[in-house]
Amino acid sequence: MTHRSAAIELTDIVFPAHANHYGTLFGGNALLLMSKAAFLAARTFAKSDVVMASLGDAQFLAPVPVGHVLRLRAWVTRAGRSSLTVCVTGAAEAPDGEPRPSLKGLFEMVAVDGRGRPARLRNAYLHAVPTDKEPA
């Protein structure tokens, strides 16, 4: 299930300060940008504070050279009791070129309360427990 209302897009440009010694986006900076996009999508969906629990299947599909624009898209693909799965993709664009898929990752985020403890999502997709008056 994709929650389009919580889909976000972040756009940034790769400056030399973000690059490695090859002149492309440093992997740590790519993860930073991806985690920011995941956070924003999860927070928008949860309408509360969230924290990252894990990052799985991070893929660096193609290098992102200095001077290219990086467009990240993030959306919630699953909502549980307090956790959310957020998919993040990134495409690099040269000034005169087509977008090229460059980054991809799945983030597990958790909604938290004011004490940093897991909090129930108000709009989680949970099945109702059938009662005697409702058909199963």
Side-chain angles (χ1 to χ4, degrees), residues 33 48 64 128 130 134:
L33 293 169
S48 70
V64 183
E134 296 176 346

Coordinates of all heavy atoms in Angstrom, one line a residue, residues 33 48 64 128 130 134:
L33 N 21.2 12.3 2.9 CA 20.1 12.9 2.1 C 18.9 11.9 2.0 O 17.7 12.3 2.2 CB 20.6 13.3 0.7 CG 21.5 14.5 0.7 CD1 22.1 14.6 -0.7 CD2 20.9 15.8 1.1
S48 N 3.6 13.0 13.6 CA 4.2 13.0 14.9 C 5.7 12.8 14.6 O 6.1 12.6 13.5 CB 3.7 11.8 15.8 OG 4.1 10.6 15.3
V64 N 27.0 10.0 -8.8 CA 26.3 11.3 -9.0 C 27.4 12.3 -9.0 O 28.0 12.7 -7.9 CB 25.3 11.6 -7.9 CG1 24.6 12.9 -8.1 CG2 24.3 10.4 -7.7
A128 N -9.7 -4.3 11.9 CA -10.6 -4.3 13.1 C -10.9 -5.7 13.6 O -11.0 -6.6 12.8 CB -11.9 -3.6 12.7
P130 N -13.3 -8.4 14.7 CA -14.7 -8.6 14.5 C -15.4 -8.8 15.9 O -14.9 -9.4 16.8 CB -14.9 -9.9 13.7 CG -13.5 -10.4 13.6 CD -12.5 -9.5 14.1
E134 N -20.8 -8.2 14.0 CA -20.3 -8.0 12.6 C -19.9 -9.4 12.0 O -19.4 -10.3 12.7 CB -19.0 -7.2 12.7 CG -19.3 -5.8 13.2 CD -18.0 -5.0 13.3 OE1 -16.9 -5.6 13.3 OE2 -18.1 -3.8 13.5

